[in-house]
Amino acid sequence: MVGPDDVPPDPTDPLDRTRFPIDEWRLVEKHPDVSDLGTTETLFAVGNGYLGMRGNPEEGRPSEESGTYVNGFHETWQIQHAEGAYGFARVGQTIVNAPDAKVLKVYVDDEPLNLAHADLVDYERSLDFRSGLLRRRLVWRTPAGKKVQVHTTRLVSFAQRHLSVMTLDVTMLEGDAPIVISSQVINRQDGGDEYTADEEFDPRKAESLAHRVLEPQTQWCADGRILLGYRTAQSKLGIAVGVDHEMVTDNEWSAATSTEADQGKQVYRISAREGQTIHLEKLAAYHNGPSGVPVRELFDRCRRTLDRARIEGVEAVLDAQREWLEKYWANADVEVGSHPAEQQAIRWNLFQLAQASARAEVEGVPAKGVTGSGYSGHYFWDTEVYVLPFLTYTLPQAARSALRFRYLMLDAARRRAREMAQDGALFPWRTISGEEASAYYAAGTAQYHIDADISFALSKYVDATGDTDFLLEEGVDMLVETARMWADLGFFDEKGDGLFHIHSVTGPDEYTTVVNDNLFTNTMARFNLRRAAEVVQELKDRDGADYDRMVKRLELGPAETDFWLRCAEQMAIPYDDRFGVHPQDLHFLEREVWDLAATPLEKRPLLLHFHPLVLYRFQVLKQADVVLAMFLQGDQFTLAEKRANFEYYDPITTGDSSLSAVVQSIIAAEVGYSELALRYFHAGLFVDLDDRHGNTSDGVHVASTGGLWSALVNGFGGLRDHGGVISFDPRLPEPWPSLRWRMRLRQTRLTVTVTQDAIELAAEGPRVEVWVRGEQVAVPADDSVRVELTGHGPRIPGEVGDVPLIWGKPRDED
C-alpha cells in the first residue's frame, strides 16, 4: 500500500487523502462522514450484476438510501401525460428496493452502535478489488467508557449469483458486558430510494410511487433461518429472500428467531467476557421470478442456495470469490506506471464494471448497475456503446449475455416498430421489461439510434470473439430487423439531391432534439444497413441450410439487401463548406451559439435550470455527438475532418452528461490535443469518486466506467477495430512512462504494453495479426514482439476554444 505521505500532492487528484488514502487495490476510508452518506453508500456498494447491496453501515443508520437491488425486479405504473398522443409510452417501470438483509445491529450495555454519534477510537472501511470484500474495522468507546472492537465483512458472490455473505466479529477489549446482536431482514415499504414531489426536480432520479409496492405473501422461520416472500402490486413479480446464521463464541449466548409481514429477526443475547470474540456468519439468498412462479417455489430456491453455501462453508465462498476475481483481473486490468492515485481510481472503475455486468445474464446492464435507483434502474444505449466494448475484450461471456438480453426483447421491439408505423424492429430507448418507458419522447423515444447501437455492439462482439453461432442463430435476426427499420424510416429525396435522408430523430445530444439528418444517427444507420447486408450475404455463401432457415424465419425478400446497400451508399452525411465541419444535424449551424462562458456555474447542468425549448434554440451540447460518431465510425472520417469537427464542437459541449468526457478524451488524443485529452480523462476518472455530477448518491455512472476503459485503450493506447481489423496508434500522455492492458482476441489473450517509444505485444494462445501505425505485425503464438514507435501523430499543447472545462461541481484545478 502506498500512503498519502509517500507521494507528493497531485493537482489532478481531487480526493482528500487524509480520509481516502491511496491504495492501488482498495478503496479505503479512514473516518466516516455523515455529510456525504449517499455518495459513499454508492462508492462502497458490492454487487455482481444480479444482486447489489449499497454500502450502508451494518447498523442500518445513518443512511441516505438503504438499498438492496435485484436486476430487473421492478414495479410498473401508469404514466400520466399532461396531453397524451398515440404511441406515447403508457406504462412506466422503476426498479424496486428489495428486502434488505444487510442489517446487523449491535448493542453493548443496551447502548446501540451508531456511527453518527459513536466515539470511535479507530476506524477503517475498505472495498478490496481482489477479494470483492467490503470490510469495516472499528474500535468503539461506549458511553460507559468500555472499548469494543467490531469487525464486519460483506460480499456478493460472483461465483454464486444469488448469494451474499456477511460476517460480524465483536470483541470486548476492556471489561465484560451484555451484548445484543439483532440480525434483521427488513422490507422498507417506502423504498427508501424515491424522491418526493417537494424535492428539487431531477429527471435522473427514480419515480415516486404512491402505492405500496411489495405485498407480503408468506414468511417462515426456524433455527436461525428466515424466509420472506413478496409480490409487486402492479407488475406481479415475485421475490424471496432467505437468511441463515451461524454463531461461534466461547461466551454464553441464547438466540430467538421471529418473523412478521415486513421483518424477520434473529436476536442473540451474549454475556460477553473481555477478550472473547463473538463471531457471526450471515448468509443471504435472493431469488425472483415472473408472475407465474409461486413465491413458495422461490422459497425452495433460496433454501437450496443457503444449504449449498452452508455445506461448502464461508471460507470456500471467499476462496471462490478470490479465484473469480483473479481471472477477471488477468483479463481486465489496466496499469499506468508510477501514478498510484490514478491506478487506484482506474481499478475502482474497472471493478464497478464487473459488479454491474458479470452475473446480469438474462437481464441487461442498468445505467446505475445494481448500486442505486438512479434512472429508475433502466437499460439504455449505455450498455452497447460504453460497456459492451470492455466486456467484449475482457469478459466475452457477459457481453454475449447482454446481447442475448436484447435478442429476447426482439418481439417487443417488433411490436413497438409497428406502433410507430415502421417496418422491422425498434428497440426501446429506456426500459426494464422490453417495453418503451420513456415518457418524454423528444429526448427519449426519438433516439432511434439505439437500433444501430445494438447492431454496432453485436458486430464488434462477433468480430472480436468469432462467435458465429450467436450471429447465425440470433444475431442475424437483430441485424435484419434493425436494417428494415432504417430502410423504412428514411427516404430518397428524388426531387432534390437524390440522397437517403432520415428525419425527425434525436441523436446522443439531448439538448438538440427531433432533427433532420442527425450526423451520428445517419453514420450509425449506414453501418447498420451495410453490416446487415454483409451478414446475410456471408450466410448465403457459407451454409445454404442456415441461410434458408433464416430467409423463411424472417420472410426475407430477394431484393431487400440490395435496397439496404443502396440506402447506405446514398446516406445523407451533412457537411458545411462555410465552416469546414460536419453539422450535428441539417440545421444545427443556423442556430445561435450559447454563451457558455457567461453561464453561471450555479446554472449547471443546464437541463435543471432551463426549459427544453430554450436549449433547443441554441448551439449547445449536453454531450459529444459528432465527436462520438468520429470515434465509433472513425474509418469514415479523415484526420483533418476529425480535428476540425473537434475544434468546433468542443467549446460548446457542456459535459452535463457523464458520457461525454471519456469520448472527448479519445478524440482529443487522436487529433493531437494531448494535454486536453488527459484533462478529459481525469474528468471521467473521478466522475463518481469525486461526485463530479452531484448525483453519485443515486448510483455508479456505469457507462462512464466503461468509457474510461475506452479512453485508456482506444484513446491513449490507440486501439481501433474497424471491420474486425485490430490496429494501434498510441498517444501516451507525456507524464506516463507506460500503459499496459489485456484484451482477448478470439482464443488469444493479448497483453499490450505502450511506452513513449515502443509498443510490446505478448500473446497467450494462437498467433494474432495486428497493425501498428500502418505496419502489419504478426504476434507469434505464446510469444511477444516489440515495435518501435515512429511517426507520432500530431501533438498540440493547450486547450481548444476559450471556454474552460467545467465538469459537474466547480473545482479550482478545472
Side-chain angles (χ1 to χ4, degrees):
M1 173 179 172
V2 178
D5 297 330
D6 298 324
V7 293
D10 184 349
T12 65
D13 179 8
L15 301 188
D16 175 4
R17 292 305 179 180
T18 63
R19 182 183 177 196
F20 300 105
I22 298 173
D23 184 321
E24 295 186 5
W25 283 103
R26 298 188 305 158
L27 179 66
V28 182
E29 180 188 49
K30 297 301 291 185
H31 62 83
D33 190 335
V34 297
S35 68
D36 60 357
L37 280 175
T39 297
T40 55
E41 287 166 4
T42 293
L43 299 183
F44 288 94
V46 290
N48 63 9
Y50 169 75
L51 173 64
M53 293 179 163
R54 285 175 62 79
N56 313 113
E58 282 72 9
E59 303 77 37
R61 293 290 184 267
S63 177
E64 180 172 310
E65 180 185 332
S66 187
T68 297
Y69 297 101
V70 171
N71 192 352
F73 185 63
H74 68 281
E75 176 66 307
T76 56
W77 45 281
Q78 291 297 314
I79 298 174
Q80 301 297 320
H81 296 282
E83 295 184 21
Y86 178 82
F88 277 17
R90 294 177 292 275
V91 179
Q93 307 149 35
T94 189
I95 195 168
V96 172
N97 198 347
D100 186 8
K102 300 190 300 292
V103 179
L104 287 164
K105 296 186 176 182
V106 176
Y107 302 82
V108 178
D109 288 327
D110 295 327
E111 297 290 345
L113 173 59
N114 185 317
L115 295 189
H117 311 292
D119 180 2
L120 297 180
V121 178
D122 190 26
Y123 174 93
E124 180 182 282
R125 176 167 59 162
S126 66
L127 179 61
D128 191 314
F129 312 143
R130 286 181 291 196
S131 68
L133 271 179
L134 176 65
R135 294 184 178 93
R136 193 189 68 179
R137 302 173 183 273
L138 62 85
V139 175
W140 169 38
R141 183 185 287 110
T142 71
K146 299 176 182 178
K147 289 184 180 179
V148 186
Q149 180 176 273
V150 181
H151 291 180
T152 62
T153 68
R154 184 185 302 162
L155 170 149
V156 173
S157 175
F158 287 111
Q160 299 192 46
R161 185 174 188 246
H162 300 274
L163 180 67
S164 172
V165 175
M166 292 152 277
T167 67
L168 170 68
D169 288 276
V170 182
T171 308
M172 293 297 303
L173 298 181
E174 296 178 357
D176 302 338
I179 290 180
V180 173
I181 298 173
S182 179
S183 173
Q184 302 180 10
V185 184
I186 303 174
N187 173 31
R188 305 179 191 280
Q189 296 181 41
D190 62 358
D193 57 18
E194 299 159 350
Y195 70 97
T196 56
D198 59 345
E199 291 190 84
E200 184 178 356
F201 162 77
D202 190 338
R204 301 169 296 181
K205 291 183 176 291
E207 293 80 11
S208 177
L209 301 179
H211 64 273
R212 180 188 174 108
V213 175
L214 292 183
E215 298 180 340
Q217 301 296 297
T218 185
Q219 62 268 345
W220 176 92
C221 67
D223 301 325
R225 180 170 289 190
I226 297 168
L227 292 166
L228 299 177
Y230 301 88
R231 195 169 296 283
T232 52
Q234 301 295 332
S235 62
K236 301 303 180 183
L237 304 180
I239 191 168
V241 56
V243 296
D244 205 4
H245 301 84
E246 183 168 338
M247 168 69 74
V248 179
T249 183
D250 290 333
N251 296 296
E252 294 182 3
W253 60 277
S254 63
T257 312
S258 64
T259 59
E260 52 191 68
D262 289 309
Q263 190 174 56
K265 287 184 180 182
Q266 174 76 359
V267 179
Y268 294 93
R269 292 175 172 83
I270 307 108
S271 299
R273 300 190 303 274
E274 181 178 317
Q276 296 293 331
T277 298
I278 303 162
H279 176 74
L280 176 64
E281 296 175 354
K282 181 178 184 179
L283 308 178
Y286 285 81
H287 283 269
N288 67 303
S291 58
V293 178
V295 170
R296 291 191 179 278
E297 161 65 14
L298 301 178
F299 269 24
D300 289 341
R301 297 179 191 178
C302 287
R303 288 188 176 102
R304 289 193 291 269
T305 299
L306 294 173
D307 289 345
R308 183 172 58 252
R310 180 57 65 201
I311 292 170
E312 294 175 357
V314 168
E315 283 304 317
V317 175
L318 299 180
D319 289 343
Q321 185 86 336
R322 283 188 287 266
E323 182 181 349
W324 192 97
L325 283 166
E326 182 179 0
K327 293 178 181 177
Y328 173 76
W329 289 113
N331 291 311
D333 196 18
V334 179
E335 300 168 80
V336 294
S338 304
H339 289 269
E342 290 174 324
Q343 188 65 72
Q344 179 191 40
I346 288 168
R347 287 191 175 123
W348 181 88
N349 279 272
L350 298 180
F351 185 66
Q352 298 309 314
L353 286 164
Q355 295 203 130
S357 64
R359 301 306 304 270
E361 297 176 0
V362 294
E363 303 296 341
V365 180
K368 299 294 186 180
V370 283
T371 64
S373 61
Y375 289 111
S376 304
H378 288 174
Y379 317 122
F380 295 80
W381 70 311
D382 301 33
T383 303
E384 283 73 28
V385 172
Y386 290 89
V387 177
L388 270 174
F390 167 80
L391 296 179
T392 291
Y393 287 113
T394 62
L395 203 61
Q397 180 56 45
R400 193 181 199 274
S401 295
L403 289 166
R404 285 212 72 243
F405 168 73
R406 289 296 192 183
Y407 171 76
L408 293 174
M409 64 168 61
L410 184 58
D411 284 342
R414 290 179 173 124
R415 292 194 299 271
R416 181 60 174 169
R418 291 195 294 271
E419 186 176 39
M420 298 299 289
Q422 303 297 154
D423 293 340
L426 178 58
F427 284 92
W429 175 243
R430 59 186 298 173
T431 190
I432 298 179
S433 68
E435 304 295 332
E436 178 62 76
S438 176
Y440 186 61
Y441 78 88
T445 300
Q447 297 203 47
Y448 282 55
H449 64 84
I450 180 69
D451 267 25
D453 303 332
I454 293 170
S455 298
F456 176 82
L458 166 63
S459 299
K460 295 291 184 181
Y461 166 77
V462 172
D463 288 343
T465 65
D467 188 357
T468 54
D469 288 344
F470 176 68
L471 179 65
L472 301 181
E473 294 168 7
E474 298 177 344
V476 65
D477 294 38
M478 292 193 284
L479 289 172
V480 167
E481 296 289 39
T482 51
R484 283 171 166 167
M485 194 282 297
W486 292 119
D488 184 47
L489 179 66
F491 68 98
F492 286 99
D493 185 3
E494 303 292 359
K495 296 182 180 180
D497 56 18
L499 298 178
F500 188 76
H501 296 268
I502 300 175
H503 284 185
S504 298
V505 297
T506 298
D509 169 34
E510 296 173 2
Y511 286 173
T512 311
T513 66
V514 192
V515 298
N516 297 338
D517 290 332
N518 170 256
L519 183 94
F520 179 89
T521 301
N522 286 20
T523 56
M524 293 294 286
R526 180 172 62 182
F527 173 89
N528 193 164
L529 290 160
R530 286 173 174 168
R531 184 60 170 152
E534 290 169 2
V535 169
V536 168
Q537 186 61 46
E538 289 170 6
L539 191 59
K540 184 177 182 180
D541 293 342
R542 64 178 291 171
D543 191 329
D546 281 340
Y547 175 76
D548 291 342
R549 283 193 294 270
M550 182 271 297
V551 169
K552 182 178 181 180
R553 182 173 69 248
L554 299 176
E555 300 180 354
L556 184 67
E560 279 195 79
T561 56
D562 290 340
F563 185 67
W564 298 344
L565 289 173
R566 182 185 168 214
C567 294
E569 295 310 312
Q570 295 182 247
M571 182 71 68
I573 305 296
Y575 185 80
D576 191 286
D577 291 316
R578 297 169 302 159
F579 292 92
V581 299
H582 290 86
Q584 182 169 292
D585 60 72
L586 194 59
H587 300 290
F588 183 82
L589 299 180
E590 300 170 9
R591 301 184 179 96
E592 181 182 356
V593 176
W594 186 288
D595 190 350
L596 274 179
T599 305
L601 293 177
E602 59 268 21
K603 292 292 186 180
R604 306 282 289 273
L606 301 184
L607 79 163
L608 298 184
H609 301 282
F610 296 92
H611 191 284
L613 285 176
V614 176
L615 301 175
Y616 298 164
R617 296 187 185 110
F618 287 85
Q619 292 186 50
V620 62
L621 280 63
K622 181 184 180 187
Q623 66 196 72
D625 195 305
V626 172
V627 172
L628 179 58
M630 296 191 302
F631 168 46
L632 301 184
Q633 297 294 315
D635 57 343
Q636 303 298 306
F637 298 86
T638 68
L639 182 62
E641 288 174 336
K642 291 177 183 179
R643 187 185 301 171
N645 287 334
F646 182 82
E647 290 174 350
Y648 186 87
Y649 288 104
D650 197 70
I652 58 174
T653 303
T654 64
D656 287 349
S657 168
S658 63
L659 305 181
S660 199
V662 289
V663 174
Q664 288 168 278
S665 176
I666 293 168
I667 298 301
E670 181 177 2
V671 303
Y673 286 98
S674 57
E675 294 180 15
L676 188 60
L678 191 57
R679 293 182 63 198
Y680 276 129
F681 168 75
H682 285 132
L685 182 63
F686 291 103
V687 159
D688 286 310
L689 289 169
D690 191 37
D691 195 14
R692 290 292 176 97
H693 289 257
N695 66 338
T696 297
S697 60
D698 297 324
V700 170
H701 293 81
V702 173
S704 181
T705 67
L708 185 80
W709 182 85
S710 296
L712 287 161
V713 171
N714 300 113
F716 301 138
L719 168 68
R720 294 296 184 271
D721 56 355
H722 301 301
V725 176
I726 302 297
S727 65
F728 300 95
D729 188 2
R731 297 287 192 272
L732 192 64
E734 291 181 357
W736 290 5
S738 64
L739 169 67
R740 178 182 292 117
W741 75 91
R742 292 86 175 157
M743 55 189 293
R744 299 200 67 86
L745 296 173
R746 309 223 169 179
Q747 302 305 312
T748 300
R749 182 167 67 196
L750 189 69
T751 299
V752 183
T753 305
V754 176
T755 59
Q756 292 293 344
D757 56 3
I759 181 172
E760 182 175 321
L761 306 163
E764 296 176 56
R767 161 193 171 108
V768 296
E769 292 188 356
V770 301
W771 292 79
V772 177
R773 289 192 174 165
E775 176 186 350
Q776 191 168 19
V777 176
V779 186
D782 297 314
D783 204 348
S784 64
V785 297
R786 176 184 170 90
V787 180
E788 301 297 323
L789 294 177
T790 59
H792 279 269
R795 287 181 178 270
I796 306 171
E799 298 181 9
V800 176
D802 299 322
V803 180
L805 289 178
I806 303 168
W807 294 90
K809 64 184 183 184
R811 301 193 60 84
D812 293 339
E813 63 266 28
D814 287 345

